[in-house]
Each structure stands twice: as C-alpha cells, then as structure tokens.
Amino acid sequence: MTRRTVTHFAFAVLFLATLSAMADAPLNEQQARKAPDWITEGVMYQIQPRAFTPEGTLKAATARLPRLAEMGVTVLYLCPVFVSDDDMNRDNWSPRQKASKMNNPRNPYRMKDFYHVDPEYGTDADLKAFVDEAHRLGMRVMLDMVYLHCGPKPVFLEEHPDFVKRDDGGKIKNAGWSFPALNMANPELREYLWRNMEMWVRDFGVDGFRCDVADGIPLDFWETARERLDAIRPDVGILSEGQRVQDQLKAFDLNYGFTWYGTLASVFNKNEPASVVRTITEKMAKNRPQGARFIRYVDNHDISNDDWHNRREKAWGAKGMEAALALLFTMDGMPFLYNGQEAADTARHSIFGRAPIDWANAETPAGKARFAFCQKLCQLRRSQPALTRGTLEWLDNDASDAILSFLRTTDNEQILVVLNLKDRPVKVKVLNVPAGPFKPLLQRDATAGDAGQFQLGAYGFFVGKK
C-alpha cells in the first residue's frame, strides 16, 4: 500500500468516524439540513380551492394571483387538486365528511388518481398554467401530497392490489378516517409515488410539496424522495404535516408545529398565560436539530373546516387576529396565511364542498385595513433580514400572563418585539432590553418609555429596530 493510499484510507476512516459521531450526538446538537432561501425568507399562503373562489377552479384561482403577489406572498401552498374518489358508500367516508352534510363523496384528501387533476378544478394544463403564472409573478408553488391512504377505488387497485395494506384474509386495512392504507412495505408502490413527485417537479415546474400526515409514513421514504428530487432540482422545498423530531436532518425543510399552534390558541381561547407560547417554543427547539424550522399559523383548511361556526376571525376579533399575525411574522420560522385572512373573512369554509370566501368583505373598510396590514407584514419581513435570518432571544418581562417579548438579532441589527396577547391594556417592563432607542417599524396602541417600559393597549404591539 502506497503512502498516498494509506493517507486516503486514514482520511476515509476519520471521515466515517466523524459521521458516526455526528449521528450519535443528541438531536439538538446536530444541524438541520439547509433549506432553500425561498423557504427561509418566504411568506406562505394556503389556497383551498373550494373556498378561494366562487368557481372553485384553477383558472379562477390563477386570475386572483396578482393580488397575492401585490400583498407580498412568495409561496403558494395548494390543497390537493388531484382526482378524488367518488365512491358514494358512506361507510368509506370520514366522520368529518359525513358531519359536513355536504353529501359529497369527493374528499380532496381521499385520492383516486395521484397523476391527474380532478375535473372539478380543471385540467392538467390548467395546473401548469397556474404554476407558470405564479412563477411569472415571483411566487413558488407547493402541492399537497396525500400518501398515507387513498380512496376505495383508486385507479391502480386492479393492476396492483398489493399497493394497499391487507389483513391475513385479504381484506383491505384502513389507515384512519375509513380510508384504505397505502402499503409502504411494497417497493413498487414507493417507486410509483416517487415518480409521481418527480413528474410534478419535472413536467409542471412545481417548487415543492406539503406532505399530508407525513409522520404516518416511514421517514426513509421521504429521505429517498428528497434524494431523487434533488437530482432533478436541488432547490425543491418539502413541508411535513407532522412533528417527527428527525424530519429535518435529511428529508424536510419545514414542519407544521401543531403543538405550537394549539398552545397559542389556548392563550386566546382558554385564557392561558402568554408565557406558555415561549415555553412550548423553547421545548420544541430543545428537542430538535439546531436550525429546525416551523410554519407559524393561526388558521388553515382543517381549523376553518372544523370550526367554521366560530372562525378564528370571529372568536378573536380583528385586533386579536392582527396581534396574532404580528407574532407569526416576527417569530422564527415561516409565516403562513390562510386564504381569506387578508380580507378578514368570516364565511363558512369546508373542504367537503363549495363554501367560498366572502370576497365582498375585502372591499369594506375592515377588509381594506386587513389587506394593508398583511401587506405591511410581508414588506417588513422582506426588508428586515433579522426576521428571516436572525436568532430568537426571549426577554423576560413582569407581565408574562399577557406579554411576549423577544429580540431578533443578526450581526448588524436588532429588532425588539413586544406583544400583548390579551384583550386589556397592560403596562409592562421588559428586562434586559439593549441600551439605545428602538425606532418603531410596526406598532399599534403602544407607547415605549425608558428602560424597557411599555404601555400597550388591548392586543397592542411594538416592533422596533435598533
């Protein structure tokens, strides 16, 4: 063995030993994978097609995209538009589907054909046109992939009966919601689904995926999907609808963060102290790789679908909702807007049938004020690197039942955030605020005094830059 060979061998052994040591390190000492810049710096907007327009089609949705670009949205997350199962046997409907009383078998999360657009929404060409228009306007598109289960009559079932799980007697097993479970132990099924994701990226130009119930699917499936998608385009973004702590080591760029949302909602709905938001945020960071990212939201297709009679907009009021939105846009992670929030929409939504946003509300003074507020939040995030690249440092305060206070910091700037999450005025002293004045970037019902003193009205907030 030559000296060069010995050297190379020694280097290889050292490299493998380093990798092994990294893998054995506690999860919070490992580093999350690097996400594309459009994820790190983005603002996500969810389009639920049956709510987004009265027509409920991709063509109608495409026509509204310029308004979203004007607001400052950069990432569009499109609920499933693939062919859904039309089986009328209610035994195969989910409990929520039955409870909706829409009498519609076509649940967008109960797939019949992963490879084509449902005629309800238009054609495959309409989806391509949607993606092209979004790109023209400077926005990215993520499709919603549902790979845990399928409908009772998927197009592949006759040729591939083993694509679904079965019991010892050959009867199809359900994954939940009365939907047949896909058989991820079958390598042919995995190939079928990997090629599906590849097709949408390669042939339609989509930029990424939101993966439904991702925790229910083996992580190695997603890790291989990532490798294959990277070979086509290395800037694909992938969002896990789940909270598996290892997700962002190799496979995913973002996680949903249900626990974080539920904790925030408890502050508004159950009068929990604002400090619980800090507690859960710190706990989630401690249990995950360094740099792990979450979407930050207060509404989505599931929340509005289940609680349409008491939409967050109604329950929290305009001021409460805007305090929550200010938090989403100044926290770490990616802020997420649900369609209609920019119009302060309170209409019924349902994923099980047509129930559109009340876009007439967008033309009222309240609707126009909300659009301007969301536009300001998008502009603030775009113009302040500390909000996308900065660290998050919580600051103690003497009114933690109502007030959240923190710094977002880069080498060149600091942004101070003080928010009142309660419907009452609060006088608060924030501790350890860096010396020097903070110039207001965004504030409502807020007066800043000396030495960290603030007077905040009900749901008031202060965002300032040093």
Side-chain angles (χ1 to χ4, degrees):
M1 184 179 293
T2 66
R3 179 177 299 176
R4 177 177 295 179
T5 303
V6 170
T7 301
H8 287 176
F9 177 76
F11 177 79
V13 170
L14 178 62
F15 177 72
L16 292 173
T18 302
L19 288 180
S20 177
M22 290 172 60
D24 292 339
L27 202 59
N28 63 359
E29 293 180 11
Q30 299 182 54
Q31 186 67 40
R33 73 180 307 275
K34 186 180 184 303
D37 288 346
W38 63 268
I39 291 284
T40 304
E41 300 171 2
V43 174
M44 184 176 289
Y45 183 98
Q46 182 183 29
I47 293 178
Q48 199 270 82
R50 286 175 167 168
F52 188 54
T53 67
E55 301 87 347
T57 64
L58 285 165
K59 282 187 177 179
T62 302
R64 293 199 67 90
L65 295 186
R67 187 66 167 162
L68 300 183
E70 179 186 352
M71 185 166 62
V73 169
T74 62
V75 182
L76 304 173
Y77 149 29
L78 186 62
C79 279
V81 292
F82 313 117
V83 181
S84 55
D85 207 304
D86 56 359
D87 180 60
M88 285 296 296
N89 183 351
R90 288 175 175 264
D91 292 340
N92 299 320
W93 292 18
S94 72
R96 291 193 306 165
Q97 194 170 352
K98 297 173 187 176
S100 74
K101 300 188 184 303
M102 290 285 188
N103 197 34
N104 184 4
R106 304 184 80 93
N107 179 338
Y109 287 88
R110 194 177 76 147
M111 294 289 98
K112 183 174 185 176
D113 186 350
F114 295 100
Y115 277 80
H116 293 287
V117 170
D118 195 304
E120 175 183 348
Y121 308 118
T123 66
D124 293 356
D126 290 339
L127 178 57
K128 182 66 166 62
F130 176 94
V131 174
D132 289 345
E133 175 65 359
H135 287 171
R136 186 188 72 81
L137 294 166
M139 295 183 288
R140 304 275 185 155
V141 177
M142 301 180 80
L143 300 184
D144 201 341
M145 311 311 288
V146 187
Y147 287 165
L148 179 68
H149 46 62
C150 61
K153 297 179 180 178
V155 295
F156 54 72
L157 191 61
E158 183 175 347
E159 185 176 353
H160 298 284
D162 53 350
F163 274 16
V164 295
K165 292 183 179 180
R166 297 177 183 271
D167 62 20
D168 292 341
K171 183 180 178 181
I172 293 175
K173 298 171 67 173
N174 288 338
W177 306 281
S178 302
F179 301 159
L182 291 176
N183 182 16
M184 283 292 171
N186 186 327
E188 292 185 21
L189 171 70
R190 289 187 171 215
E191 183 65 28
Y192 182 84
L193 299 177
W194 287 327
R195 289 184 179 180
N196 183 234
M197 298 176 82
E198 290 171 335
M199 182 195 76
W200 296 119
V201 171
R202 182 187 60 245
D203 300 342
F204 287 75
V206 304
D207 303 284
F209 302 99
R210 178 265 193 191
C211 302
D212 190 64
V213 201
D215 286 359
I217 296 170
L219 183 56
D220 70 300
F221 171 84
W222 299 119
E223 290 174 344
T224 300
R226 163 65 69 184
E227 292 172 1
R228 293 177 62 144
L229 293 171
D230 279 351
I232 298 173
R233 231 178 69 195
D235 68 338
V236 170
I238 311 181
L239 164 63
S240 166
E241 192 214 15
Q243 299 193 111
R244 184 164 37 199
V245 294
Q246 302 93 343
D247 272 352
Q248 293 186 40
L249 289 176
K250 296 180 180 179
F252 291 97
D253 299 296
L254 284 165
N255 284 79
Y256 239 67
F258 303 110
T259 305
W260 185 89
Y261 158 73
T263 302
L264 176 62
S266 74
V267 176
F268 287 89
N269 297 339
K270 301 178 181 179
N271 203 32
E272 291 287 337
S275 59
V276 298
V277 176
R278 172 179 174 176
T279 299
I280 194 62
T281 303
E282 292 178 324
K283 181 179 179 180
M284 291 172 72
K286 183 178 180 180
N287 293 335
R288 285 167 173 78
Q290 296 178 24
R293 297 158 293 269
F294 296 88
I295 56 169
R296 306 295 187 185
Y297 62 95
V298 294
D299 204 355
N300 61 30
H301 69 285
D302 277 321
I303 297 168
S304 62
N305 188 70
D306 288 340
D307 201 22
W308 59 266
H309 59 284
N310 191 23
R311 294 283 305 277
R312 293 289 175 263
E313 193 70 46
K314 290 181 179 179
W316 299 1
K319 283 189 173 182
M321 179 60 73
E322 291 180 3
L325 291 174
L327 174 62
L328 306 189
F329 276 77
T330 53
M331 283 272 305
D332 57 350
M334 176 188 270
F336 172 111
L337 292 169
Y338 174 65
N339 55 197
Q341 281 188 293
E342 74 275 30
D345 175 59
T346 59
R348 178 187 182 180
H349 290 193
S350 175
I351 61 173
F352 304 117
R354 194 71 54 76
I357 294 164
D358 178 14
W359 284 116
N361 200 61
E363 302 307 316
T364 66
K368 290 179 178 179
R370 174 61 59 77
F371 183 88
F373 182 70
C374 290
Q375 190 175 45
K376 175 65 175 177
L377 289 173
C378 291
Q379 187 276 331
L380 186 68
R381 183 171 171 83
R382 184 170 58 249
S383 64
Q384 303 299 325
L387 296 181
T388 56
R389 301 285 180 177
T391 59
L392 172 67
E393 177 188 352
W394 292 99
L395 299 177
D396 294 333
N397 65 70
D398 64 359
S400 60
D401 61 321
I403 303 297
L404 290 179
S405 47
F406 54 89
L407 286 171
R408 300 299 309 277
T409 304
T410 65
D411 291 339
N412 301 316
E413 64 181 6
Q414 288 182 315
I415 292 179
L416 173 66
V417 181
V418 185
L419 303 109
N420 181 6
L421 300 188
K422 297 298 181 180
D423 190 15
R424 63 177 188 271
V426 177
K427 185 177 182 180
V428 61
K429 178 176 177 60
V430 180
L431 308 180
N432 301 317
V433 175
F438 282 81
K439 179 182 178 181
L441 297 172
L442 181 74
Q443 61 180 339
R444 174 166 298 170
D445 296 335
T447 302
D450 296 330
Q453 299 281 353
F454 290 87
Q455 181 72 44
L456 299 174
Y459 296 126
F461 48 84
F462 174 88
V463 181
K465 179 179 180 180
K466 181 179 175 182

